PDB file of all heavy atoms in Angstrom:
ATOM      1  N   TYR A   1     137.418  91.881  94.073  1.00 97.00           N
ATOM      2  CA  TYR A   1     138.051  92.497  95.300  1.00 97.00           C
ATOM      3  C   TYR A   1     137.120  93.611  95.821  1.00 97.00           C
ATOM      4  O   TYR A   1     136.639  93.579  96.917  1.00 97.00           O
ATOM      5  CB  TYR A   1     139.400  93.029  94.936  1.00 97.00           C
ATOM      6  CG  TYR A   1     140.182  93.647  95.998  1.00 97.00           C
ATOM      7  CD1 TYR A   1     140.411  93.002  97.214  1.00 97.00           C
ATOM      8  CD2 TYR A   1     140.720  94.982  95.837  1.00 97.00           C
ATOM      9  CE1 TYR A   1     141.096  93.683  98.232  1.00 97.00           C
ATOM     10  CE2 TYR A   1     141.436  95.604  96.811  1.00 97.00           C
ATOM     11  CZ  TYR A   1     141.651  94.957  98.005  1.00 97.00           C
ATOM     12  OH  TYR A   1     142.351  95.594  99.063  1.00 97.00           O
ATOM     13  N   THR A   2     136.812  94.575  94.947  1.00 96.00           N
ATOM     14  CA  THR A   2     135.929  95.610  95.302  1.00 96.00           C
ATOM     15  C   THR A   2     134.818  95.696  94.271  1.00 96.00           C
ATOM     16  O   THR A   2     134.976  95.193  93.151  1.00 96.00           O
ATOM     17  CB  THR A   2     136.588  96.986  95.319  1.00 96.00           C
ATOM     18  OG1 THR A   2     137.180  97.285  94.102  1.00 96.00           O
ATOM     19  CG2 THR A   2     137.627  97.043  96.517  1.00 96.00           C
ATOM     20  N   PHE A   3     133.672  96.308  94.589  1.00 97.00           N
ATOM     21  CA  PHE A   3     132.599  96.366  93.693  1.00 97.00           C
ATOM     22  C   PHE A   3     131.843  97.702  93.976  1.00 97.00           C
ATOM     23  O   PHE A   3     131.214  97.868  95.024  1.00 97.00           O
ATOM     24  CB  PHE A   3     131.567  95.199  93.862  1.00 97.00           C
ATOM     25  CG  PHE A   3     130.421  95.126  92.817  1.00 97.00           C
ATOM     26  CD1 PHE A   3     130.489  94.242  91.782  1.00 97.00           C
ATOM     27  CD2 PHE A   3     129.359  96.060  92.936  1.00 97.00           C
ATOM     28  CE1 PHE A   3     129.476  94.204  90.845  1.00 97.00           C
ATOM     29  CE2 PHE A   3     128.336  95.977  91.994  1.00 97.00           C
ATOM     30  CZ  PHE A   3     128.395  95.139  91.013  1.00 97.00           C
ATOM     31  N   THR A   4     131.828  98.562  92.975  1.00 96.00           N
ATOM     32  CA  THR A   4     131.095  99.848  93.067  1.00 96.00           C
ATOM     33  C   THR A   4     130.337 100.305  91.778  1.00 96.00           C
ATOM     34  O   THR A   4     129.668 101.260  91.751  1.00 96.00           O
ATOM     35  CB  THR A   4     132.040 101.012  93.484  1.00 96.00           C
ATOM     36  OG1 THR A   4     133.044 101.211  92.444  1.00 96.00           O
ATOM     37  CG2 THR A   4     132.771 100.707  94.767  1.00 96.00           C
ATOM     38  N   SER A   5     130.510  99.456  90.761  1.00 96.00           N
ATOM     39  CA  SER A   5     129.997  99.867  89.420  1.00 96.00           C
ATOM     40  C   SER A   5     128.526  99.775  89.355  1.00 96.00           C
ATOM     41  O   SER A   5     127.937  98.699  89.462  1.00 96.00           O
ATOM     42  CB  SER A   5     130.640  99.051  88.310  1.00 96.00           C
ATOM     43  OG  SER A   5     129.991  99.252  87.092  1.00 96.00           O
ATOM     44  N   GLU A   6     127.831 100.910  89.109  1.00 96.00           N
ATOM     45  CA  GLU A   6     126.398 100.911  88.948  1.00 96.00           C
ATOM     46  C   GLU A   6     125.985 100.230  87.595  1.00 96.00           C
ATOM     47  O   GLU A   6     124.942  99.551  87.566  1.00 96.00           O
ATOM     48  CB  GLU A   6     125.840 102.307  88.934  1.00 96.00           C
ATOM     49  CG  GLU A   6     126.006 103.038  90.281  1.00 96.00           C
ATOM     50  CD  GLU A   6     125.125 102.410  91.398  1.00 96.00           C
ATOM     51  OE1 GLU A   6     124.138 101.762  91.033  1.00 96.00           O
ATOM     52  OE2 GLU A   6     125.482 102.528  92.551  1.00 96.00           O
ATOM     53  N   ARG A   7     126.845 100.373  86.582  1.00 97.00           N
ATOM     54  CA  ARG A   7     126.517  99.680  85.283  1.00 97.00           C
ATOM     55  C   ARG A   7     126.537  98.234  85.381  1.00 97.00           C
ATOM     56  O   ARG A   7     125.673  97.523  84.943  1.00 97.00           O
ATOM     57  CB  ARG A   7     127.577 100.189  84.240  1.00 97.00           C
ATOM     58  CG  ARG A   7     127.429 101.618  83.800  1.00 97.00           C
ATOM     59  CD  ARG A   7     128.598 101.992  82.943  1.00 97.00           C
ATOM     60  NE  ARG A   7     128.570 101.293  81.656  1.00 97.00           N
ATOM     61  CZ  ARG A   7     129.541 100.504  81.213  1.00 97.00           C
ATOM     62  NH1 ARG A   7     130.652 100.238  81.979  1.00 97.00           N
ATOM     63  NH2 ARG A   7     129.459  99.972  79.963  1.00 97.00           N
ATOM     64  N   VAL A   8     127.540  97.690  86.150  1.00 98.00           N
ATOM     65  CA  VAL A   8     127.572  96.272  86.391  1.00 98.00           C
ATOM     66  C   VAL A   8     126.400  95.769  87.276  1.00 98.00           C
ATOM     67  O   VAL A   8     125.814  94.735  87.045  1.00 98.00           O
ATOM     68  CB  VAL A   8     128.925  95.890  86.942  1.00 98.00           C
ATOM     69  CG1 VAL A   8     128.967  94.392  87.332  1.00 98.00           C
ATOM     70  CG2 VAL A   8     130.073  96.168  85.962  1.00 98.00           C
ATOM     71  N   ALA A   9     126.138  96.568  88.331  1.00 98.00           N
ATOM     72  CA  ALA A   9     124.998  96.277  89.172  1.00 98.00           C
ATOM     73  C   ALA A   9     123.707  96.253  88.434  1.00 98.00           C
ATOM     74  O   ALA A   9     122.917  95.271  88.586  1.00 98.00           O
ATOM     75  CB  ALA A   9     124.879  97.284  90.280  1.00 98.00           C
ATOM     76  N   ASP A  10     123.509  97.130  87.475  1.00 98.00           N
ATOM     77  CA  ASP A  10     122.321  97.116  86.635  1.00 98.00           C
ATOM     78  C   ASP A  10     122.250  95.896  85.808  1.00 98.00           C
ATOM     79  O   ASP A  10     121.176  95.291  85.683  1.00 98.00           O
ATOM     80  CB  ASP A  10     122.304  98.319  85.690  1.00 98.00           C
ATOM     81  CG  ASP A  10     122.038  99.632  86.459  1.00 98.00           C
ATOM     82  OD1 ASP A  10     121.587  99.635  87.612  1.00 98.00           O
ATOM     83  OD2 ASP A  10     122.312 100.762  85.860  1.00 98.00           O
ATOM     84  N   ALA A  11     123.359  95.419  85.220  1.00 98.00           N
ATOM     85  CA  ALA A  11     123.413  94.203  84.410  1.00 98.00           C
ATOM     86  C   ALA A  11     123.094  93.029  85.181  1.00 98.00           C
ATOM     87  O   ALA A  11     122.359  92.062  84.827  1.00 98.00           O
ATOM     88  CB  ALA A  11     124.737  94.086  83.754  1.00 98.00           C
ATOM     89  N   LEU A  12     123.577  92.929  86.453  1.00 98.00           N
ATOM     90  CA  LEU A  12     123.379  91.778  87.274  1.00 98.00           C
ATOM     91  C   LEU A  12     121.893  91.748  87.731  1.00 98.00           C
ATOM     92  O   LEU A  12     121.273  90.664  87.788  1.00 98.00           O
ATOM     93  CB  LEU A  12     124.260  91.859  88.524  1.00 98.00           C
ATOM     94  CG  LEU A  12     125.813  91.733  88.256  1.00 98.00           C
ATOM     95  CD1 LEU A  12     126.558  91.785  89.537  1.00 98.00           C
ATOM     96  CD2 LEU A  12     126.141  90.490  87.468  1.00 98.00           C
ATOM     97  N   ILE A  13     121.377  92.823  88.065  1.00 98.00           N
ATOM     98  CA  ILE A  13     119.939  92.867  88.554  1.00 98.00           C
ATOM     99  C   ILE A  13     119.013  92.462  87.439  1.00 98.00           C
ATOM    100  O   ILE A  13     118.044  91.742  87.639  1.00 98.00           O
ATOM    101  CB  ILE A  13     119.613  94.273  89.165  1.00 98.00           C
ATOM    102  CG1 ILE A  13     120.363  94.529  90.432  1.00 98.00           C
ATOM    103  CG2 ILE A  13     118.131  94.455  89.377  1.00 98.00           C
ATOM    104  CD1 ILE A  13     120.288  95.892  90.997  1.00 98.00           C
ATOM    105  N   ALA A  14     119.342  93.079  86.200  1.00 98.00           N
ATOM    106  CA  ALA A  14     118.524  92.696  85.087  1.00 98.00           C
ATOM    107  C   ALA A  14     118.583  91.167  84.768  1.00 98.00           C
ATOM    108  O   ALA A  14     117.539  90.555  84.454  1.00 98.00           O
ATOM    109  CB  ALA A  14     118.942  93.445  83.842  1.00 98.00           C
ATOM    110  N   ALA A  15     119.745  90.589  84.938  1.00 98.00           N
ATOM    111  CA  ALA A  15     119.907  89.137  84.753  1.00 98.00           C
ATOM    112  C   ALA A  15     119.104  88.382  85.811  1.00 98.00           C
ATOM    113  O   ALA A  15     118.409  87.419  85.477  1.00 98.00           O
ATOM    114  CB  ALA A  15     121.376  88.763  84.807  1.00 98.00           C
ATOM    115  N   GLU A  16     119.147  88.776  87.049  1.00 98.00           N
ATOM    116  CA  GLU A  16     118.420  88.134  88.111  1.00 98.00           C
ATOM    117  C   GLU A  16     116.919  88.191  87.850  1.00 98.00           C
ATOM    118  O   GLU A  16     116.158  87.190  88.010  1.00 98.00           O
ATOM    119  CB  GLU A  16     118.702  88.806  89.452  1.00 98.00           C
ATOM    120  CG  GLU A  16     117.902  88.317  90.592  1.00 98.00           C
ATOM    121  CD  GLU A  16     118.327  86.911  91.080  1.00 98.00           C
ATOM    122  OE1 GLU A  16     119.431  86.552  90.822  1.00 98.00           O
ATOM    123  OE2 GLU A  16     117.495  86.213  91.719  1.00 98.00           O
ATOM    124  N   ARG A  17     116.490  89.283  87.288  1.00 98.00           N
ATOM    125  CA  ARG A  17     115.026  89.450  87.074  1.00 98.00           C
ATOM    126  C   ARG A  17     114.550  88.568  85.884  1.00 98.00           C
ATOM    127  O   ARG A  17     113.368  88.186  85.856  1.00 98.00           O
ATOM    128  CB  ARG A  17     114.676  90.910  86.733  1.00 98.00           C
ATOM    129  CG  ARG A  17     114.742  91.772  88.005  1.00 98.00           C
ATOM    130  CD  ARG A  17     114.600  93.231  87.683  1.00 98.00           C
ATOM    131  NE  ARG A  17     114.556  94.050  88.960  1.00 98.00           N
ATOM    132  CZ  ARG A  17     114.728  95.383  88.976  1.00 98.00           C
ATOM    133  NH1 ARG A  17     114.832  96.023  87.849  1.00 98.00           N
ATOM    134  NH2 ARG A  17     114.671  96.008  90.080  1.00 98.00           N
ATOM    135  N   ARG A  18     115.435  88.300  85.000  1.00 97.00           N
ATOM    136  CA  ARG A  18     115.029  87.376  83.863  1.00 97.00           C
ATOM    137  C   ARG A  18     115.291  85.869  84.137  1.00 97.00           C
ATOM    138  O   ARG A  18     115.292  85.050  83.258  1.00 97.00           O
ATOM    139  CB  ARG A  18     115.602  87.786  82.543  1.00 97.00           C
ATOM    140  CG  ARG A  18     117.112  87.729  82.432  1.00 97.00           C
ATOM    141  CD  ARG A  18     117.579  88.142  81.029  1.00 97.00           C
ATOM    142  NE  ARG A  18     119.028  87.989  80.896  1.00 97.00           N
ATOM    143  CZ  ARG A  18     119.877  88.952  81.125  1.00 97.00           C
ATOM    144  NH1 ARG A  18     119.453  90.194  81.562  1.00 97.00           N
ATOM    145  NH2 ARG A  18     121.151  88.735  80.979  1.00 97.00           N
ATOM    146  N   GLY A  19     115.595  85.587  85.341  1.00 98.00           N
ATOM    147  CA  GLY A  19     115.773  84.210  85.824  1.00 98.00           C
ATOM    148  C   GLY A  19     117.124  83.565  85.853  1.00 98.00           C
ATOM    149  O   GLY A  19     117.361  82.471  86.057  1.00 98.00           O
ATOM    150  N   VAL A  20     118.200  84.473  85.545  1.00 98.00           N
ATOM    151  CA  VAL A  20     119.569  84.001  85.667  1.00 98.00           C
ATOM    152  C   VAL A  20     119.959  83.808  87.119  1.00 98.00           C
ATOM    153  O   VAL A  20     119.638  84.647  87.961  1.00 98.00           O
ATOM    154  CB  VAL A  20     120.493  84.990  84.925  1.00 98.00           C
ATOM    155  CG1 VAL A  20     121.940  84.569  85.058  1.00 98.00           C
ATOM    156  CG2 VAL A  20     120.168  85.136  83.445  1.00 98.00           C
ATOM    157  N   ALA A  21     120.687  82.731  87.457  1.00 98.00           N
ATOM    158  CA  ALA A  21     121.210  82.572  88.791  1.00 98.00           C
ATOM    159  C   ALA A  21     122.485  83.452  88.913  1.00 98.00           C
ATOM    160  O   ALA A  21     123.479  83.238  88.264  1.00 98.00           O
ATOM    161  CB  ALA A  21     121.598  81.116  88.999  1.00 98.00           C
ATOM    162  N   VAL A  22     122.353  84.422  89.840  1.00 98.00           N
ATOM    163  CA  VAL A  22     123.453  85.446  89.955  1.00 98.00           C
ATOM    164  C   VAL A  22     123.980  85.350  91.367  1.00 98.00           C
ATOM    165  O   VAL A  22     123.300  85.457  92.337  1.00 98.00           O
ATOM    166  CB  VAL A  22     122.906  86.869  89.658  1.00 98.00           C
ATOM    167  CG1 VAL A  22     124.113  87.909  89.752  1.00 98.00           C
ATOM    168  CG2 VAL A  22     122.330  86.948  88.259  1.00 98.00           C
ATOM    169  N   ARG A  23     125.334  85.215  91.464  1.00 98.00           N
ATOM    170  CA  ARG A  23     126.023  85.177  92.745  1.00 98.00           C
ATOM    171  C   ARG A  23     127.246  86.108  92.622  1.00 98.00           C
ATOM    172  O   ARG A  23     127.860  86.246  91.646  1.00 98.00           O
ATOM    173  CB  ARG A  23     126.473  83.764  93.101  1.00 98.00           C
ATOM    174  CG  ARG A  23     125.365  82.762  93.143  1.00 98.00           C
ATOM    175  CD  ARG A  23     125.933  81.396  93.471  1.00 98.00           C
ATOM    176  NE  ARG A  23     126.472  81.302  94.749  1.00 98.00           N
ATOM    177  CZ  ARG A  23     127.080  80.229  95.248  1.00 98.00           C
ATOM    178  NH1 ARG A  23     127.229  79.118  94.523  1.00 98.00           N
ATOM    179  NH2 ARG A  23     127.602  80.240  96.487  1.00 98.00           N
ATOM    180  N   VAL A  24     127.519  86.789  93.736  1.00 98.00           N
ATOM    181  CA  VAL A  24     128.586  87.733  93.783  1.00 98.00           C
ATOM    182  C   VAL A  24     129.405  87.455  95.050  1.00 98.00           C
ATOM    183  O   VAL A  24     128.897  87.246  96.157  1.00 98.00           O
ATOM    184  CB  VAL A  24     128.103  89.222  93.818  1.00 98.00           C
ATOM    185  CG1 VAL A  24     129.255  90.160  94.096  1.00 98.00           C
ATOM    186  CG2 VAL A  24     127.412  89.564  92.512  1.00 98.00           C
ATOM    187  N   LEU A  25     130.769  87.458  94.943  1.00 98.00           N
ATOM    188  CA  LEU A  25     131.675  87.272  96.006  1.00 98.00           C
ATOM    189  C   LEU A  25     132.794  88.318  95.898  1.00 98.00           C
ATOM    190  O   LEU A  25     133.495  88.340  94.947  1.00 98.00           O
ATOM    191  CB  LEU A  25     132.260  85.893  95.989  1.00 98.00           C
ATOM    192  CG  LEU A  25     133.309  85.542  97.114  1.00 98.00           C
ATOM    193  CD1 LEU A  25     132.570  85.516  98.435  1.00 98.00           C
ATOM    194  CD2 LEU A  25     133.965  84.197  96.829  1.00 98.00           C
ATOM    195  N   VAL A  26     132.911  89.180  97.005  1.00 98.00           N
ATOM    196  CA  VAL A  26     133.940  90.177  97.024  1.00 98.00           C
ATOM    197  C   VAL A  26     134.661  90.118  98.375  1.00 98.00           C
ATOM    198  O   VAL A  26     134.229  89.409  99.342  1.00 98.00           O
ATOM    199  CB  VAL A  26     133.397  91.567  96.760  1.00 98.00           C
ATOM    200  CG1 VAL A  26     132.864  91.692  95.328  1.00 98.00           C
ATOM    201  CG2 VAL A  26     132.297  91.869  97.751  1.00 98.00           C
ATOM    202  N   ASP A  27     135.745  90.882  98.539  1.00 97.00           N
ATOM    203  CA  ASP A  27     136.494  90.955  99.759  1.00 97.00           C
ATOM    204  C   ASP A  27     135.685  91.682 100.800  1.00 97.00           C
ATOM    205  O   ASP A  27     135.052  92.661 100.512  1.00 97.00           O
ATOM    206  CB  ASP A  27     137.875  91.574  99.533  1.00 97.00           C
ATOM    207  CG  ASP A  27     138.759  91.304 100.698  1.00 97.00           C
ATOM    208  OD1 ASP A  27     139.264  90.198 100.866  1.00 97.00           O
ATOM    209  OD2 ASP A  27     138.906  92.284 101.538  1.00 97.00           O
ATOM    210  N   ALA A  28     135.802  91.216 102.100  1.00 95.00           N
ATOM    211  CA  ALA A  28     135.070  91.897 103.126  1.00 95.00           C
ATOM    212  C   ALA A  28     135.713  93.212 103.523  1.00 95.00           C
ATOM    213  O   ALA A  28     134.976  94.187 103.823  1.00 95.00           O
ATOM    214  CB  ALA A  28     134.988  90.969 104.410  1.00 95.00           C
TER     215      ALA A  28
END
């Protein structure tokens, strides 16, 4: 629904950098 967590953002970015397919969908 909402997304503001820097810790979660760090984990997602790290995953993207190691080749994981990362997609995010939140409410507009």
Side-chain angles (χ1 to χ4, degrees):
Y1 178 54
T2 59
F3 186 104
T4 63
S5 172
E6 293 294 335
R7 291 171 68 240
V8 174
D10 289 344
L12 297 180
I13 291 170
E16 176 72 25
R17 286 173 178 168
R18 64 177 183 268
V20 176
V22 182
R23 302 179 65 185
V24 172
L25 179 66
V26 295
D27 192 76

